[in-house]
C-alpha cells in the first residue's frame, strides 16, 4: 500500500516539474542572477531588498516563459 502512495507522489512531482520546469528555472536561476546584478548595482543600499526584487523578477520571467512555452532546459 505504501509503495502505491510513493509511486503517486513521485509521478506527481515529475508531472509538476515537466509542466512548471521553466517557471522554476526562471525563478531560481534568473532570480538569483537578477538579484546579484541588483545588489552589485546598488551596493550601498539594503541588499536583502534587492535580492528579493531579483527573485520577484525571476518569478515574472518564469511565469512569462511558462505561459509562452519557451524552452531553456531541453
Amino acid at each position: 500500500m505504501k509503495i502505491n502512495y510513493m509511486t503517486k507522489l513521485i509521478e506527481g512531482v515529475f508531472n509538476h516539474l515537466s509542466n512548471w520546469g521553466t517557471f522554476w528555472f526562471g525563478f531560481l536561476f534568473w532570480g538569483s542572477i537578477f538579484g546579484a546584478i541588483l545588489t552589485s548595482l546598488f551596493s550601498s543600499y539594503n541588499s536583502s531588498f534587492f535580492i528579493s526584487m531579483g527573485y520577484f523578477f525571476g518569478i515574472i520571467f518564469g511565469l512569462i516563459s511558462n505561459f509562452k512555452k519557451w524552452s531553456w532546459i531541453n
Side-chain angles (χ1 to χ4, degrees), residues 9-41:
L9 176 69
I10 292 171
E11 286 176 358
V13 168
F14 281 120
N15 186 25
H16 174 77
L17 287 176
S18 66
N19 291 332
W20 287 91
T22 54
F23 166 76
W24 289 110
F25 183 76
F27 171 62
L28 295 173
F29 180 74
W30 289 108
S32 64
I33 289 176
F34 292 150
I37 290 171
L38 287 174
T39 55
S40 68
L41 290 176

Side-chain angles (χ1 to χ4, degrees), residues 32-70:
S32 64
I33 289 176
F34 292 150
I37 290 171
L38 287 174
T39 55
S40 68
L41 290 176
F42 303 103
S43 61
S44 61
Y45 297 104
N46 186 5
S47 65
S48 62
F49 172 74
F50 289 108
I51 290 173
S52 60
M53 285 303 297
Y55 281 109
F56 175 73
F57 292 143
I59 287 174
I60 300 300
F61 199 61
L63 283 174
I64 290 170
S65 67
N66 191 39
F67 290 126
K68 290 192 176 225
K69 303 294 183 199
W70 293 344

